[in-house]
Amino acid sequence: MSLFELRGLKFLSLSSNNFSGLIPMRALQNLKNLSSLDLSYNSLSIDATDTNVSSLSFPNITTLKLTSCNLTEFPDFLIYQSRLSYLDLSNNQIQGKIPNWIWKVRSLRYLNLSQNFLVKFERSLENIISSLNVLDLHGNRLQGKIEILPSNATYLDYSNNNFNSVLPAQIGDFLQFAYFFSVSGNNFNGSIPKSICCSLYLRVLDMSDNYLSGPIPKCLTQMSASLGVLNLRGNNLSGIISDTFPESCKLQTLDLNQNRLEGKVPQSLGNCKKLEVVDIGNNQISGSFPCHLKNISKLRVLVLRSNKFNGSIHCHKNNTGWPMLQIVDLASNNFSGKLHQKCLATWKGMQVFENEDQSKVKDIQFQFLEFYPNHYQDAITVTIKGLEWELVKILTVFTTIDISCNNFEGPIPEVIGTFKELYGLNFSHNAFTGSMPSFLGNLRQLESLDLSSNYLSGEIPLQLVNLNFLSFLNVSNNKLVGQIPTGTQLQSFSKASFENNPGLYGPPLTVKCVNASRPKNDSPSDSETGSIIEWNLLSVEIGLIFGLGIIIVPLIYWKRWRIWYFERIHRALSRFFPSLSRETKKHGRRANRNERRRL
């Protein structure tokens, strides 16, 4: 505590350590010259309820950072701060209302009250006069209407609260200087106000995970000349995506997943050469594969999942493709045809090169102008290992392909064996034929492999033993044969991973061995052969009938053979049953007497 006796101290930063204990507010009184204090990210507790201290005796602080300091209420001394420009009270346990006085601190430029338990504003404030540039209120329990919209703010984050009204019709008037505006994760309803298109400096617009309805304003797609991120996922938006993306489009992220959008992928979207993330999954969008996006060389994420797309995914006269593509999700559509080697070979982002520095792991994010906070973190939902996972960060080393539930056919292309960075591969519920390829053993990073419900034949390749990270496997409902490779991690998967393969046996399946010959890949149909004849069983039956015929037929038609046969049988039985011989003699005498009487 002697540290707080240094009266000449102006700057004190103890953040991001393991300090613990309680610091009473009275300890700050002696630091008369203190202008910047940072106690964030420790295990400290700040006692803001110290009533034995006069708030007027505190130093005039310009920067105060008390993140994660177990605060339960706003410190009273802040009311009298006239020079405070930076205030961060995030990730504490402050409850109740946001006080009115906080908006009247004319010098305040940065205010972060995120990750607390705030429920409302102290009272409605109209025509608020504030100099705030950054206002971060995300992760609270704020409800009702958005009451506070500082007109000069450049960063406004109201995400992950309980706001449950319509967005103000003139909301764009409060966003004249905004670069970042997020209301995601609330309960806003109604349509998207067109006035938001008046925000000429807007770089990030995130309205995801609400109950917004109606069409996407045409002016929003036209705004992409300045907009870098447009995230409207998880709403009830309907209509088409307007074909008005300008040639100067600067979009880096377009996320429209989980709405009710129809029509086709607009041709003008190909103007957005900086796109890295395109997610239009879980809509009702139709048409063919969007080959007009092939010229977007920076594309990393393409999600078309659960729509009404059809036809081949092969794009003719295109040898460049997407060299940085790392996440592809085309599942649950009506795509068909074969997977072409040339098409997949352009996905260089899934391959490993010797000169690539694997130590530099990055994530996809959008950087805006040089102020703090200065980036938007891209996120995405992927289906892997049979479950949905939300990636709050999309690492550039994470790669996955999901083309399940379509009508793809033919063999699995050999180029897949070069995608050595793949974490997930799902080709299930298609019409793939041929053998289960051994080159899958080259995918050493693979954690999830699903080839179920196809027409794959042959044996399970032993090379799958090389997949040390494999934690999910499903090859059920195919035509695989032979023994499951033993002494490997393949036995650690459940029998459901291998079932409904008639010629497959060995643990974890209960079938130990298959006696019958392996089924042919192209076995004739019943219409061609009438029925399938079990020759082994038939030969046994014929032999039995032939043997009985040799014995029975002579007995019926050859008297001497019949007499000789029964004499031999009688002798044999008499040896084992002596009484039978005596009974026969008695019956023989009676028969002789009867014969004489007849004579």
Side-chain angles (χ1 to χ4, degrees):
M1 292 302 294
S2 61
L3 190 66
F4 295 97
E5 301 296 331
L6 302 176
R7 297 177 180 272
L9 197 63
K10 293 184 178 181
F11 183 93
L12 175 59
S13 177
L14 305 176
S15 67
S16 302
N17 284 285
N18 292 317
F19 293 125
S20 59
L22 178 67
I23 298 181
M25 276 295 156
R26 72 172 74 93
L28 302 178
Q29 288 184 108
N30 298 328
L31 302 175
K32 299 297 183 181
N33 293 316
L34 190 67
S35 62
S36 178
L37 175 64
D38 188 356
L39 303 177
S40 302
Y41 303 112
N42 284 285
S43 298
L44 293 169
S45 295
I46 307 297
D47 185 6
T49 62
D50 195 349
T51 57
N52 298 324
V53 181
S54 171
S55 297
L56 297 174
S57 63
F58 276 86
N60 258 324
I61 296 177
T62 58
T63 300
L64 180 61
K65 301 179 182 180
L66 300 178
T67 302
S68 302
C69 287
N70 296 308
L71 285 169
T72 58
E73 61 181 57
F74 289 93
D76 288 339
F77 79 92
L78 293 176
I79 301 175
Y80 303 99
Q81 293 295 313
S82 59
R83 297 173 52 196
L84 189 64
S85 63
Y86 192 110
L87 177 61
D88 190 346
L89 303 179
S90 62
N91 200 24
N92 282 289
Q93 301 171 33
I94 304 174
Q95 303 179 13
K97 304 175 183 179
I98 300 177
N100 183 34
W101 57 260
I102 208 164
W103 313 110
K104 297 181 179 180
V105 182
R106 295 293 185 90
S107 58
L108 195 61
R109 298 289 185 272
Y110 181 103
L111 176 61
N112 190 346
L113 303 178
S114 65
Q115 301 293 335
N116 279 286
F117 299 97
L118 300 167
V119 294
K120 59 167 56 176
F121 301 101
E122 189 172 43
R123 68 170 184 264
S124 177
L125 290 177
E126 295 181 1
N127 301 320
I128 181 176
I129 299 175
S130 174
S131 301
L132 278 174
N133 295 126
V134 174
L135 175 60
D136 193 345
L137 300 177
H138 85 268
N140 280 283
R141 299 175 180 176
L142 297 170
Q143 53 192 330
K145 300 179 180 179
I146 290 183
E147 304 256 0
I148 306 298
L149 284 167
S151 57
N152 294 322
T154 55
Y155 185 98
L156 292 167
D157 192 348
Y158 297 87
S159 62
N160 298 310
N161 279 283
N162 295 323
F163 291 113
N164 55 359
S165 63
V166 298
L167 291 168
Q170 303 303 319
I171 193 172
D173 296 340
F174 299 94
L175 303 174
Q176 294 292 322
F177 302 100
Y179 286 90
F180 180 101
F181 181 60
S182 176
V183 292
S184 70
N186 282 282
N187 299 311
F188 286 110
N189 53 71
S191 59
I192 299 175
K194 293 182 179 180
S195 66
I196 205 166
C197 299
C198 298
S199 310
L200 301 179
Y201 297 100
L202 205 58
R203 298 292 180 269
V204 175
L205 177 61
D206 190 347
M207 295 182 166
S208 60
D209 298 317
N210 281 284
Y211 295 96
L212 299 173
S213 57
I216 300 174
K218 184 183 297 185
C219 60
L220 268 187
T221 57
Q222 295 171 339
M223 272 183 68
S224 58
S226 59
L227 205 61
V229 173
L230 178 59
N231 190 345
L232 303 176
R233 73 177 292 135
N235 282 285
N236 296 319
L237 299 171
S238 57
I240 65 170
I241 306 172
S242 178
D243 195 5
T244 54
F245 291 92
E247 292 186 3
S248 57
C249 177
K250 295 180 181 179
L251 270 183
Q252 180 176 308
T253 297
L254 177 64
D255 193 343
L256 305 177
N257 193 305
Q258 202 172 349
N259 280 283
R260 300 176 182 176
L261 299 172
E262 301 175 340
K264 299 181 178 181
V265 179
Q267 290 287 329
S268 60
L269 186 60
N271 295 330
C272 304
K273 306 297 185 185
K274 296 184 178 181
L275 273 173
E276 294 187 17
V277 177
V278 175
D279 188 350
I280 55 177
N282 295 288
N283 282 283
Q284 300 175 33
I285 300 173
S286 58
S288 58
F289 186 73
C291 287
H292 52 281
L293 305 183
K294 277 289 187 176
N295 293 324
I296 304 176
S297 59
K298 293 186 177 182
L299 192 66
R300 290 183 174 274
V301 177
L302 178 64
V303 179
L304 307 179
R305 185 185 189 90
S306 296
N307 278 286
K308 297 180 179 180
F309 289 103
N310 58 72
S312 172
I313 67 169
H314 180 61
C315 298
H316 300 282
K317 299 180 180 180
N318 191 302
N319 297 322
T320 56
W322 294 307
M324 302 179 71
L325 195 63
Q326 61 181 84
I327 297 177
V328 181
D329 190 348
L330 312 180
S332 301
N333 281 283
N334 292 313
F335 290 120
S336 59
K338 296 182 179 181
L339 296 180
H340 291 261
Q341 290 272 129
K342 185 180 295 185
C343 173
L344 301 183
T346 62
W347 299 357
K348 302 293 185 182
M350 300 185 183
Q351 302 175 8
V352 179
F353 299 98
E354 295 182 358
N355 59 350
E356 188 175 357
D357 188 357
Q358 295 294 319
S359 63
K360 296 180 179 179
V361 179
K362 300 179 181 179
D363 54 85
I364 302 176
Q365 55 181 239
F366 176 71
Q367 302 282 343
F368 29 97
L369 296 183
E370 296 181 359
F371 61 85
Y372 183 81
N374 64 352
H375 72 275
Y376 174 85
Q377 189 69 62
D378 283 290
I380 195 174
T381 299
V382 297
T383 301
I384 192 169
K385 301 181 182 180
L387 300 171
E388 285 192 351
W389 298 80
E390 183 179 7
L391 304 180
V392 293
K393 286 186 177 181
I394 308 176
L395 298 178
T396 55
V397 295
F398 179 82
T399 62
T400 179
I401 300 176
D402 189 348
I403 60 173
S404 61
C405 300
N406 281 284
N407 299 309
F408 291 111
E409 58 187 14
I412 296 176
E414 291 186 13
V415 69
I416 297 294
T418 66
F419 293 172
K420 297 182 179 180
E421 286 296 297
L422 270 182
Y423 280 76
L425 181 64
N426 191 345
F427 279 16
S428 66
H429 294 89
N430 279 283
F432 287 107
T433 56
S435 61
M436 188 172 171
S438 60
F439 54 72
L440 293 176
N442 297 333
L443 311 181
R444 300 297 179 90
Q445 300 293 332
L446 203 63
E447 295 184 10
S448 177
L449 175 61
D450 194 344
L451 302 176
S452 62
S453 299
N454 281 285
Y455 299 100
L456 298 175
S457 57
E459 298 182 347
I460 296 178
L462 188 61
Q463 286 80 357
L464 260 62
V465 178
N466 298 329
L467 306 181
N468 297 323
F469 296 107
L470 195 64
S471 58
F472 179 88
L473 173 67
N474 193 350
V475 295
S476 63
N477 298 294
N478 278 285
K479 296 183 177 181
L480 300 174
V481 298
Q483 185 178 10
I484 299 172
T486 57
T488 67
Q489 79 269 25
L490 297 183
Q491 276 72 53
S492 65
F493 298 107
S494 67
K495 65 179 182 180
S497 300
F498 304 95
E499 62 186 7
N500 293 330
N501 286 283
L504 203 60
Y505 64 93
L509 294 176
T510 55
V511 180
K512 294 183 179 180
C513 184
V514 178
N515 294 324
S517 59
R518 295 172 183 171
K520 297 181 180 180
N521 294 337
D522 299 317
S523 58
S525 62
D526 291 347
S527 61
E528 294 174 341
T529 61
S531 61
I532 299 175
I533 300 173
E534 295 290 346
W535 288 106
N536 292 336
L537 182 60
L538 186 60
S539 62
V540 173
E541 295 174 351
I542 294 173
L544 180 61
I545 294 171
F546 183 75
L548 290 174
I550 292 176
I551 297 173
I552 294 172
V553 171
L555 289 176
I556 296 173
Y557 297 103
W558 193 359
K559 183 177 180 180
R560 292 180 61 186
W561 167 258
R562 185 166 59 247
I563 294 172
W564 180 87
Y565 177 78
F566 282 118
E567 286 179 353
R568 294 296 184 275
I569 294 297
H570 181 267
R571 290 178 184 175
L573 291 175
S574 297
R575 292 177 183 176
F576 294 100
F577 305 102
S579 60
L580 181 63
S581 178
R582 292 194 295 270
E583 291 294 328
T584 303
K585 291 178 181 180
K586 292 179 181 178
H587 289 296
R589 293 192 196 99
R590 290 172 186 169
N592 291 334
R593 290 195 193 102
N594 292 335
E595 185 67 25
R596 284 195 294 269
R597 287 173 185 170
R598 290 192 191 99
L599 294 173

